[in-house]
Amino acid sequence: MFHTLFVPLDGSEFSERSLPLARVIAREASSTIHLVQVHAPTVPGHLLSSTQFEYQGLDLEAYAARHREETGAHMTSLADALEADGITVRPAVLEGRVVETLAEHAASVEADLIVMTTHGRSGANRLWLGSVADGLVRHTHIPILMVRASEDQGEAAERAEPETLEHILVPLDGSDLAELILAPAAGLARATGARLTLAHVVASHSAMGAGLVPLLPDDIVRIRDQADAYLQKVAAQLSADGLTVDTHLAEGDTPPSVITAIAKEVGADLIALATHGYGGMKRAVLGSVADKVLRSSPLPLLVLRPEAEV
């Protein structure tokens, strides 16, 4: 399924933290990797603040050309390192608006999967997911595998840069939208030999107005039984296709935190979720559950925005 991987970079070491996982998938699935960077040079801050720059000027065209040449050379060196591992790589340096250019190029090379860190900027330019990752979710229907990396030393040990991919957690809520992640998750499992765990979070409260009302014990048992039957049915369908599938039920009223706890409990390497791609007030970056899971878990997150909202 994953014949073509698309890996956006921005020239930073931080953005390159997606490469170990891309390497794992490409090696196992015999994929071609397209390494892509949109050329967007910025004038160094020390030049902008210098008197010499202010009064004598700088040849910005020459600077941009040199920056683009350096970018191309760096991309080639990254490609060479991957090719030494037997992976076919197609590096490209593009021009244009970053998100739109990446989305168009991913479509043109018929990418099956986008693999990227959640952001590649720092300081004032950095958002939690990064405008590029967030924008790609809204501009493409290609599955996106986001590596949650951190520049904080305290979290360095938690960075998810696996050398293997063995266990994928797929939270389901019984909706058609949630089930759309099954195809790419199963494809990834099939390509890498990973097993799947299908999970469902059973709420112990129901919403009533602005508050929550505890469910009766009999209601919780009934809901758990229905959820278990649902998971077993989906698991049987995937197992019939040759995949190794487990199921997991948990109880809680905050699905993102419960999902994160389940992933840790079962030893998952990756979490897979479908998400809405709404804009404006209907949207909370990736959608509240996917966004909060990404915030709370160090694991990579596979997300998919469906072509039609379900």
Side-chain angles (χ1 to χ4, degrees), residues 128-300:
W128 180 256
L129 292 179
S131 58
V132 175
D134 183 32
L136 282 176
V137 170
R138 291 180 288 116
H139 279 79
T140 182
H141 302 292
I142 301 168
I144 302 178
L145 205 172
M146 296 184 179
V147 178
R148 179 199 182 278
S150 172
E151 292 170 317
D152 300 328
Q153 292 298 318
E155 295 187 22
E158 288 191 300
R159 281 209 311 267
E161 298 175 1
E163 294 301 322
T164 59
L165 185 58
E166 299 178 346
H167 193 176
I168 301 171
L169 177 68
V170 186
L172 299 172
D173 61 9
S175 69
D176 292 338
L177 171 67
E179 290 183 14
L180 291 175
I181 197 63
L182 288 172
L188 193 55
R190 191 173 295 107
T192 61
R195 71 184 191 276
L196 297 170
T197 292
L198 309 180
H200 184 88
V201 179
V202 177
S204 57
H205 292 72
S206 63
M208 181 171 289
L212 294 175
V213 177
L215 292 173
L216 296 175
D218 288 347
D219 290 332
I220 293 178
V221 171
R222 175 178 52 80
I223 294 171
R224 286 183 65 92
D225 288 345
Q226 291 174 344
D228 182 59
Y230 165 71
L231 290 182
Q232 295 301 330
K233 177 182 178 181
V234 178
Q237 293 170 346
L238 294 170
S239 297
D241 200 24
L243 297 172
T244 301
V245 188
D246 297 315
T247 62
H248 190 101
L249 278 176
E251 188 175 318
D253 294 311
T254 54
S257 62
V258 178
I259 290 169
T260 299
I262 294 172
K264 186 174 183 179
E265 180 181 344
V266 303
D269 302 311
L270 183 148
I271 301 172
L273 285 166
T275 183
H276 287 290
Y278 295 136
M281 295 299 293
K282 292 185 70 177
R283 148 177 190 273
V285 190
L286 283 181
S288 60
V289 174
D291 181 41
K292 290 174 184 175
V293 168
L294 187 63
R295 289 174 183 267
S296 60
S297 173
L299 298 180

